[in-house]
Amino acid sequence: SLDIAAARVLVNYQNGKGHAKGLIEGTSGVPFRMSLNADLQPALWRVALNGRVRGLDLKTQSPARIVPKNGSYELLPTAISFGGGSIKLAGSYGEGMKVQSRLDKIDMALINTFVPGYGIGGTASGSLDFEQANSAAFPRADARLHLDDFTRTTAALISQPVDVNFVGKLLPNGGEARAVIRSRGTVIGRMVASLRPLPPGSGPWTERLMAAPLGGGIRYNGPADTLFSFAGLTNQRLSGPIGLAADFSCRVADPCLAGVVRGKGLTYENQTYGTKLTAMDLSGRFDGNRFELQSLTAKAGAGTVSASGSLSLAAEAGYPMDVSVKLNQARLARSNTLSASATGDLRLTKRAGETALLSGQLRLPETRYQIVREGSAEVPQLTGVRFKPPVGPKRITGNEQARQSASAFSLIRLDLKVVAPEKLYVSGMGLEAEWRANFDISGTSASIRRDGNLIGPAHRPARTRSARRTPRPRR
């Protein structure tokens, strides 16, 4: 969809000849602000573009040449500078659409502009072609890409760079994709996938694609951070050696897998809370559309964490899951403001059509929390002052940043019972005290509700010493 917030266009066109120039602000999937200058002739249109898309400069290296033909338009090969790289485009648009593109060392860091928090790095070269006769027809697509030094960067570390070769095609009578992952010239992973769409007349092409029979497999034996980077979980990292071997079948929307996953000596880090799990051993297997976590053990500070359960890979069922976690004095958070360890049992469950539920009981043997006052940095707001709302549509600059993408656990229902019998230390703003607490946590991760008791330090009268002790009588 195209939403134009503001535009100014000047056109002088008659008898098939003329000129046009304009400035357009709006949104078409992403915010953009684009200026154009066009020379319009009966047999050829020449158009120069210059603007910004999601904070990235977009400019035609030379005017794009467009040939109008009886209600359709043909784009001759055109070079466009975008995000530090260059893209060559050609194609046509009318009742159907055809696009041919060639990429030359495109900086993959531009992905972070559209999907922030991933920290993707590397360069991409190759070709992407797409053709569709009409909006209802099944498309044809061909992709041949080479990714050099693909990495994912976090606040702490950078994943090991790998090279990825990908070849894929999609046709009305089927499709296939192949990928090879190399680290320092050594092959550490391979993927082969094939599908056959359903025959025409069984629904829109997108539904036919999701219901297509699936086949293929994946083999991987290398660093875990490379695989984990494709999950796209922000501010999280998994490192260490991991092995994966799985074959898949059934349908795209409801895949069936058979295989195993093994990991030894892994390290997981969550930079938001300071959680760090070390010496993690992982063992799991794929069975149909389920992934069974047979065993997971790890150290968390001076304590331990263990987990087991299952996760469905079926999109139609809403990815149901049932995972149990056991904590034994595990340090779950360590930051400048919060340090906490916990002992107890947790359970993460999810059913079709429901939000994931985290339930269980936790005992906090020792917790430290520091109050940080940010009010001094806030600007006071004057009372009695009224501001008129802006008139007209909201202006688009093209520099608007993308929102953080939501993960599968961005919203979780809570049903927890937390007990801190002692050693709940609170400091800051002149306060140094030890508390104890017993409360229930409900609501959701976006709107937490706490019910229970929080008891401060008890006041005890100081002991006074007697000036003279009365001697006991001798027997």
Side-chain angles (χ1 to χ4, degrees):
S1 62
L2 175 63
D3 182 13
I4 297 178
R8 185 185 186 193
V9 181
L10 302 177
V11 180
N12 182 8
Y13 183 79
Q14 57 183 350
N15 299 326
K17 298 181 180 181
H19 301 275
K21 58 182 178 180
L23 177 65
I24 303 176
E25 302 174 6
T27 303
S28 179
V30 294
F32 66 90
R33 187 174 189 267
M34 196 69 58
S35 61
L36 62 91
N37 196 343
D39 177 30
L40 309 176
Q41 301 296 327
L44 181 66
W45 295 359
R46 300 172 70 246
V47 182
L49 298 176
N50 190 0
R52 292 181 69 81
V53 177
R54 191 69 87 189
L56 298 174
D57 292 328
L58 185 149
K59 183 179 181 180
T60 53
Q61 295 181 5
S62 59
R65 297 168 299 165
I66 302 175
V67 179
K69 294 181 180 179
N70 300 324
S72 63
Y73 305 89
E74 180 184 359
L75 175 65
L76 301 180
T78 302
I80 300 176
S81 299
F82 181 63
S86 64
I87 304 175
K88 293 183 179 179
L89 290 177
S92 61
Y93 179 79
E95 181 182 358
M97 180 173 61
K98 181 179 180 181
V99 177
Q100 295 175 317
S101 65
R102 300 296 181 264
L103 312 180
D104 183 19
K105 295 183 179 180
I106 295 294
D107 189 354
M108 294 187 64
L110 65 86
I111 296 177
N112 305 316
T113 304
F114 298 92
V115 190
Y118 283 9
I120 299 298
T123 59
S125 302
S127 63
L128 291 171
D129 299 337
F130 182 87
E131 183 178 359
Q132 189 175 20
N134 53 66
S135 59
F138 202 94
R140 298 171 178 264
D142 184 270
R144 300 174 183 273
L145 295 175
H146 178 71
L147 310 182
D148 287 320
D149 295 332
F150 176 85
T151 59
R152 183 176 178 223
T153 304
T154 66
L157 296 170
I158 302 177
S159 66
Q160 299 182 29
V162 297
D163 298 333
V164 181
N165 287 332
F166 176 84
V167 177
K169 64 179 180 179
L170 180 65
L171 302 173
N173 61 348
E176 67 174 1
R178 297 175 181 271
V180 177
I181 303 176
R182 291 183 173 88
S183 176
R184 299 177 181 178
T186 303
V187 176
I188 61 175
R190 296 180 182 273
M191 187 274 295
V192 177
S194 62
L195 57 89
R196 184 173 297 278
L198 298 182
S202 56
W205 73 268
T206 52
E207 294 183 4
R208 293 161 53 197
L209 180 63
M210 295 302 293
L214 178 68
I218 182 173
R219 301 291 186 271
Y220 183 85
N221 186 12
D225 49 9
T226 301
L227 279 184
F228 195 72
S229 63
F230 291 101
L233 300 178
T234 60
N235 297 324
Q236 300 179 55
R237 182 176 183 270
L238 181 67
S239 59
I242 194 170
L244 167 65
D247 298 327
F248 36 83
S249 58
C250 295
R251 297 179 298 125
V252 176
D254 188 8
C256 300
L257 292 93
V260 295
V261 178
R262 296 288 187 271
K264 190 174 182 62
L266 303 174
T267 299
Y268 168 80
E269 297 176 78
N270 187 310
Q271 292 149 10
T272 302
Y273 301 103
T275 305
K276 185 175 183 179
L277 305 181
T278 60
M280 179 190 299
D281 293 340
L282 169 67
S283 176
R285 68 186 183 95
F286 295 98
D287 185 9
N289 63 1
R290 290 163 52 91
F291 172 69
E292 296 184 2
L293 180 60
Q294 298 171 316
S295 173
L296 185 151
T297 59
K299 293 182 179 180
T304 60
V305 175
S306 61
S308 62
S310 62
L311 167 67
S312 174
L313 305 177
E316 295 179 345
Y319 304 106
M321 67 180 70
D322 187 355
V323 179
S324 299
V325 182
K326 187 175 184 61
L327 310 174
N328 183 16
Q329 295 186 351
R331 186 172 63 199
L332 301 182
R334 186 180 184 182
S335 63
N336 295 332
T337 59
L338 178 64
S339 177
S341 299
T343 298
D345 298 315
L346 295 176
R347 186 178 181 186
L348 181 63
T349 57
K350 187 179 185 300
R351 298 179 181 178
E354 295 183 357
T355 306
L357 172 65
L358 180 63
S359 59
Q361 296 183 354
L362 290 179
R363 183 178 181 273
L364 307 181
E366 182 176 349
T367 303
R368 296 181 181 273
Y369 176 71
Q370 182 177 1
I371 302 173
V372 179
R373 183 182 179 184
E374 299 179 352
S376 58
E378 297 178 356
V379 177
Q381 192 173 25
L382 299 178
T383 59
V385 179
R386 300 291 183 268
F387 296 93
K388 292 183 178 180
V391 180
K394 183 180 178 181
R395 299 299 299 268
I396 305 295
T397 65
N399 294 319
E400 290 78 4
Q401 298 300 314
R403 296 181 179 180
Q404 291 284 349
S405 58
S407 67
F409 305 107
S410 57
L411 184 64
I412 299 178
R413 293 181 295 135
L414 302 174
D415 183 15
L416 299 172
K417 184 176 182 60
V418 180
V419 178
E422 58 181 354
K423 297 183 180 181
L424 178 56
Y425 300 109
V426 180
S427 62
M429 297 179 62
L431 177 65
E432 295 286 345
E434 179 183 353
W435 299 65
R436 52 194 176 97
N438 187 345
F439 53 93
D440 298 329
I441 298 179
S442 58
T444 66
S445 55
S447 178
I448 300 176
R449 175 169 178 165
R450 308 168 188 84
D451 298 311
N453 299 320
L454 185 64
I455 304 173
H459 175 72
R460 296 180 180 178
R463 290 185 178 181
T464 58
R465 293 185 178 181
S466 175
R468 182 179 299 179
R469 299 181 62 183
T470 305
R472 292 184 179 180
R474 295 183 179 179
R475 291 184 180 178

